[in-house]
Each structure stands twice: as C-alpha cells, then as structure tokens.
Amino acid sequence: MSDESVVGLVQQGMRAESKGDPDEARVLFERAWSAAQDDYDRCVAAHFLARHQPTPDDNRRWNKEALRLADAVAATEPERVRSFYPSLHLNVGYAWEMLGQLDAARRHYDLAAAGLADLPDGPYGEMIRGGVAEGLRRLDAA
C-alpha cells in the first residue's frame, strides 16, 4: 500500500524522477496537489509540480504559486516555512531568468541569498546555496 499523503506522494515522485520517469513523477506531484489539506501541503506540491511544466511560463506560474502559499503559511506559522524560502526564491528567480526577465530573476536570487542562513547544513542546504551562487554568477555575466 502506498502513502497517499502529500509527503508520501512527493517522495514517490522524487523516486520516479531519480529513475528517469518524469511522466510518473508529474502524475504523483499532481496527486499530491489534489491530496493537499492546507496551504503548507499545497506549497510543497506546487513546488514540485513546477518542475514538470511544459513551458517556462507554466513553470514560473507554479513557482510563484508555491511562494504565495508559503507567504500564506508564514502569516501564522513563519517557522514552518522559513527554511523553504531560499529554495522557493531560487526557483522563482530561475523561472524569471528562463523567461529573459533578468531584473525579476536577480530580485528573487537576492531574496534567496538573504535567507541562506536559514538553510540546514548538509546536501540540501549545499544544493540551494550552490544554485543561488550559480544563478547570481549567470546574471553577473549577462
């Protein structure tokens, strides 16, 4: 029996991604979106759904939705999403960069950089720190 919670579905989707099955991952992330019970769940699901959108604009829309939902959670439970903001801003920044909107991209990369101290140590934190640094390097070179 599979875990039909948002976290369980996202974990299954990440496993599908790692096995090279983006179609299955997208289906699982869509199921996570449908299973969401609150803004936090929807934020997590939107964050992963953004990765499997057919166009850069759709990717931007889902990333912005994840950020909007994190803001809704932060209004009452800021600690619940504080360490998520650098990743969310990194992804919104990258989406804007892919759309050629470099000023908007820089604003979000800068916001991601401002929150890096909130990231945990370890592989996840290093991945986000590296992504922010690389995004800012690309913009500086543009």
Side-chain angles (χ1 to χ4, degrees), residues 56-137:
D57 196 51
D58 290 334
N59 173 275
R60 179 204 50 85
R61 184 177 58 81
W62 278 103
N63 277 307
K64 285 185 69 176
E65 179 67 3
L67 185 56
R68 184 192 71 75
L69 290 160
D71 287 343
V73 174
T76 58
E77 300 176 89
E79 290 302 315
R80 194 168 185 203
V81 291
R82 179 169 283 132
S83 66
F84 205 25
Y85 274 106
S87 179
L88 295 173
H89 281 293
L90 170 62
N91 289 343
V92 172
Y94 185 72
W96 280 123
E97 184 181 355
M98 293 301 98
L99 289 166
Q101 300 295 318
L102 302 187
D103 289 339
R106 180 170 300 278
R107 184 171 76 82
H108 285 281
Y109 286 145
D110 287 343
L111 288 166
L116 292 178
D118 294 323
L119 289 173
D121 292 330
Y124 170 75
E126 291 308 311
M127 177 183 67
I128 302 304
R129 286 180 185 92
V132 172
E134 186 57 34
L136 289 169
R137 272 194 290 274

